[in-house]
Amino acid sequence: MKFLRKSIQIVLLCVSIPNAFAQLGFCNGNSGDPIFIETFGEGTNNVALPLGTTTYTYANSAPNDGFYTVSSTTNWYGWHNTLDHTPNDTNGRSLIVNADFTAGEFFRQTINGLCENTSYEFSSWLLNLLPSSGCGGSGIPINVKFQIWDITDTNLLASGDTGNIAGTPNAIWEQFGLTFQTLPAQTSVILKMINNGVGGCGNDLAIDDIVFKTCGDNIVIEDSQSNATIMVCENDTPFATQLTANPDFSIYTTHAYQWQESTDNTIWVDIVGETYQSYITPNINTTTYYRVKVAEDAVNLANPQCSSLSEVFEIRVIEVPEAPISNGNIENCGNDTQSVSVTVPADVIVNWYDAPSGGNLLLSESDSYPTNVAGTYYAEAVTSNGNCVSNNRTAVSIVFYPVPVVVDEELTFCEGEDITLYANVQNMTYLWSTGDVISQTTVNTSGIYTVIVTNGNGCSATKTITLTQIDNPVIGSVESEGTDIIISTANTGDFEYSLDGINYQLNPVFNTIEGGLYTIYVRERSGCGVASIEYLHFWVPKFFTPNGDTENDTFNLKGIEFYNHSEVYIFDRYGRLLISSKNSPFAWDGTFKNQPLPMSDYWYVINIDGQELKGHFTLKR
């Protein structure tokens, strides 16, 4: 049957080139396009190899030991159920081999159309189908020998063994290769694959993507500055340069050249007459790719199976970027740092300047520029590749407007009164937390009040006023303790106290006060209210001295006259009533029947509005 031959690109590992009997390795130079590819095709039905390709027996389904199949499935015997290796295949097939019990050749393929005295690279992908857990973890590894023979099958050109490839938990394709050189007058070779191991539990493999390529020197193209790529801004075109192909002589001893060019790095065209190591490009206005086809002899240049290709040299023409797109000018309240910004494509960077051309570079490689200084700033677009600069810069401005200056306050007001709060900033618009929209608001409740003050530029500031109520004084009680009057308030505050409404003191205790009827005053010191109450201060003297010096000459019960009902009785130590009084002021001069009484203690009984007071006092001479 006829198998699919198609061109695909294989990424090759670069290691040393072997001699005819070296171990496996890949071309360490440049390769040509594939001259032979075996992918084993696509399709869900299994197919057989052409006669003479294998010594194994074809199986239309699961292959037993010594059998093979070409299939898009590997789901047998607990093998890895995996896709073939060929990229982008649909139901791609691979060669499935279940090793025979006797080691030996299982695949043979003749490769025609080669060139004599030319180096080539063979490669193929292998997969151990048996998972590492198969056969109780002791499955037979796969081990394949690759051989390249001349067409007479008598001269071995190259050989190499994969060594044991053990099973893996997951399906892993591995690539192996050989390099060889054809003999004089030789244009065909034979590829052989030999199973070094024997069948049994294991040694089950899949093969895919067999490729042959030419193998030549590693050839690098450079310009006079040793660049491997040139990027040119379109406003610097037309552009021309000299390119030179530099082979490393790792394969070829002599070199013939044919320069090629491409506009898409896919379709290549020979440049007529350009067969030298160096090449001067024409004037270029669009992106262009160059490479050189190399062979040891000029006659081989026309045959793609006898030449190799250099690395690609790209002269990329970069479009001059458009000026950045402004994200808008900024008007900001206050002088906090803000950022002007622009938008550019993903492959373009932005540099910021202080002038529309020339000027000072302020910031590089940023789509935004932070500042707290008002002004106009200029954004320039630069391509990441080639540093191509936009023809114009984009102006973006920023303005900082002043914010109204407000001062928070802590205020007090008197209980029961209104207080007017002021924004204290003129020519603004206002919004109070009370709902008022003028510069002031009147309230009568403590709390936190705010006013948003906004100027003509729309800039706002919030003033906060903490308002605390000062309570009016409330008299709780007034008591007499001997000659002292003690005043207590029912609430706390910064109070002062008075017995006449004129003279105030901070101490709520008034000492050594004559008995009598008083008006007690309690006043809040900042002017928030006065409380008053009448109070009858009454106390019984402990002694008196009727000696005619006009001081304390009488036993005087001051204030007793203000009670609704009062009775006073004075006795000597023997219980004799000396004097009495009822519902009238009382003052006794220490006499009985107009005769002075001696110094002694005397007793009293006083009834005041139903309350009886008893005690004694001393008459001193």
Side-chain angles (χ1 to χ4, degrees):
M1 64 174 288
K2 183 177 181 180
F3 283 85
L4 174 65
R5 303 292 192 267
K6 60 182 180 181
S7 295
I8 60 172
Q9 184 173 356
I10 303 293
V11 179
L12 302 178
L13 302 174
C14 293
V15 295
S16 62
I17 295 178
N19 57 34
F21 296 96
Q23 288 300 308
L24 299 176
F26 295 92
C27 177
N28 69 345
N30 287 112
S31 300
D33 294 329
I35 60 177
F36 173 89
I37 299 178
E38 177 60 87
T39 68
F40 299 101
E42 297 176 330
T44 57
N45 58 314
N46 294 1
V47 295
L49 293 172
L51 292 176
T53 305
T54 181
T55 59
Y56 277 39
T57 304
Y58 169 69
N60 192 37
S61 58
N64 293 317
D65 290 339
F67 285 74
Y68 81 95
T69 190
V70 178
S71 177
S72 60
T73 184
T74 60
N75 191 19
W76 302 301
Y77 307 122
W79 293 347
H80 290 300
N81 185 18
T82 185
L83 300 175
D84 75 333
H85 176 267
T86 308
N88 304 316
D89 263 5
T90 301
N91 296 315
R93 299 189 187 101
S94 58
L95 172 60
I96 311 299
V97 177
N98 192 334
D100 199 349
F101 291 104
T102 301
E105 178 185 321
F106 65 86
F107 182 83
R108 175 185 293 237
Q109 177 70 54
T110 298
I111 312 299
N112 297 312
L114 306 181
C115 300
E116 59 181 301
N117 296 321
T118 301
S119 295
Y120 290 92
E121 175 194 80
F122 149 78
S123 65
S124 182
W125 291 83
L126 269 66
L127 166 67
N128 188 335
L129 288 169
L130 186 69
S132 54
S133 59
C135 301
S138 59
I140 302 171
I142 67 173
N143 190 322
V144 176
K145 180 189 295 293
F146 299 107
Q147 292 180 339
I148 307 295
W149 293 80
D150 73 348
I151 196 62
T152 67
D153 202 9
T154 58
N155 293 312
L156 181 62
L157 304 180
S159 178
D161 294 289
T162 64
N164 287 338
I165 303 173
T168 54
N170 301 305
I172 299 177
W173 285 96
E174 296 184 71
Q175 189 185 32
F176 300 89
L178 278 173
T179 59
F180 64 94
Q181 188 173 35
T182 56
L183 302 175
Q186 184 183 70
T187 59
S188 298
V189 296
I190 300 171
L191 165 67
K192 295 181 183 180
M193 295 186 187
I194 298 169
N195 199 325
N196 291 328
V198 296
C201 196
N203 198 1
D204 309 308
L205 66 148
I207 299 173
D208 203 5
D209 294 329
I210 300 171
V211 177
F212 279 80
K213 293 181 177 182
T214 57
C215 177
D217 287 352
N218 182 29
I219 302 169
V220 177
I221 298 177
E222 295 178 329
D223 67 0
S224 57
Q225 280 74 45
S226 299
N227 295 315
T229 299
I230 295 177
M231 295 186 183
V232 181
C233 298
E234 64 179 350
N235 52 5
D236 291 330
T237 60
F239 174 83
T241 188
Q242 177 173 299
L243 305 179
T244 300
N246 297 312
D248 64 358
F249 289 87
S250 60
I251 305 296
Y252 299 156
T253 56
T254 61
H255 299 83
Y257 302 95
Q258 173 59 63
W259 286 88
Q260 296 180 319
E261 67 179 357
S262 173
T263 58
D264 59 5
N265 200 21
T266 300
I267 299 174
W268 292 88
V269 178
D270 288 347
I271 305 173
V272 177
E274 297 300 332
T275 57
Y276 299 96
Q277 185 175 4
S278 294
Y279 167 63
I280 299 176
T281 69
N283 288 329
I284 294 172
N285 293 287
T286 59
T287 297
T288 306
Y289 302 88
Y290 292 95
R291 72 182 184 185
V292 64
K293 185 165 50 174
V294 181
E296 285 193 287
D297 193 300
V299 72
N300 288 336
L301 288 174
N303 188 344
Q305 300 188 136
C306 306
S307 60
S308 60
L309 298 170
S310 70
E311 302 293 331
V312 174
F313 190 97
E314 178 185 10
I315 300 177
R316 186 185 304 180
V317 177
I318 309 296
E319 291 185 11
V320 172
E322 297 291 334
I325 299 174
S326 170
N327 290 332
N329 296 327
I330 292 180
E331 295 181 349
N332 187 65
C333 295
N335 59 355
D336 292 338
T337 298
Q338 297 291 313
S339 293
V340 290
S341 64
V342 293
T343 299
V344 292
D347 57 348
V348 174
I349 62 175
V350 176
N351 295 331
W352 292 89
Y353 292 86
D354 58 4
S357 62
N360 298 305
L361 176 64
L362 303 176
L363 180 65
S364 61
E365 298 188 23
S366 175
D367 293 349
S368 61
Y369 177 67
T371 181
N372 61 358
V373 178
T376 301
Y377 300 90
Y378 300 88
E380 181 178 83
V382 183
T383 59
S384 299
N385 294 321
N387 294 320
C388 300
V389 179
S390 58
N391 293 322
N392 300 299
R393 295 174 182 169
T394 298
V396 189
S397 64
I398 184 168
V399 177
F400 293 96
Y401 293 119
V403 175
V405 178
V406 296
V407 179
D408 293 343
E409 292 183 284
E410 294 185 1
L411 302 177
T412 59
F413 72 104
C414 297
E415 178 185 359
E417 298 181 2
D418 293 340
I419 182 172
T420 300
L421 309 179
Y422 298 92
N424 291 331
V425 186
Q426 302 302 316
N427 301 318
M428 303 283 171
T429 60
Y430 312 90
L431 178 60
W432 289 89
S433 55
T434 62
D436 286 337
V437 292
I438 56 177
S439 64
Q440 61 195 55
T441 188
T442 301
V443 297
N444 57 14
T445 305
S446 61
I448 296 176
Y449 296 86
T450 60
V451 57
I452 300 173
V453 180
T454 305
N455 61 24
N457 295 317
C459 298
S460 300
T462 299
K463 176 177 180 175
T464 300
I465 300 174
T466 302
L467 187 59
T468 303
Q469 174 181 286
I470 298 177
D471 295 335
N472 296 329
V474 177
I475 297 175
S477 65
V478 181
E479 298 177 348
S480 295
E481 188 174 297
T483 62
D484 299 339
I485 297 175
I486 301 174
I487 304 168
S488 298
T489 57
N491 57 349
T492 58
D494 189 11
F495 300 144
E496 55 187 3
Y497 308 87
S498 175
L499 299 181
D500 58 9
I502 298 172
N503 301 299
Y504 283 87
Q505 66 180 41
L506 296 177
N507 193 338
V509 178
F510 290 86
N511 301 112
T512 318
I513 304 301
E514 289 186 351
L517 183 62
Y518 293 90
T519 299
I520 306 297
Y521 297 90
V522 180
R523 182 172 69 181
E524 202 284 321
R525 295 186 67 199
S526 64
C528 286
V530 178
S532 64
I533 188 174
E534 285 193 343
Y535 177 69
L536 181 57
H537 177 47
F538 178 77
W539 57 277
V540 178
K542 299 295 184 180
F543 66 92
F544 74 107
T545 57
N547 55 14
D549 62 359
T550 70
E551 291 186 11
N552 204 24
D553 281 339
T554 61
F555 180 72
N556 194 346
L557 299 177
K558 292 184 178 182
I560 197 171
E561 68 271 19
F562 294 105
Y563 289 103
N564 293 324
H565 175 79
S566 64
E567 294 180 7
V568 180
Y569 302 94
I570 304 298
F571 302 90
D572 63 11
R573 59 189 300 179
Y574 303 106
R576 181 176 56 173
L577 179 64
L578 302 177
I579 187 172
S580 64
S581 174
K582 186 176 182 179
N583 296 331
S584 62
F586 182 85
W588 180 49
D589 61 3
T591 63
F592 180 68
K593 295 182 178 182
N594 294 321
Q595 295 297 316
L597 292 173
M599 182 178 70
S600 182
D601 284 345
Y602 295 88
W603 276 257
Y604 62 82
V605 176
I606 302 173
N607 290 304
I608 301 175
D609 289 342
Q611 181 183 5
E612 184 177 76
L613 304 176
K614 292 182 178 181
H616 62 88
F617 59 93
T618 300
L619 187 156
K620 295 182 180 181
R621 294 290 182 180

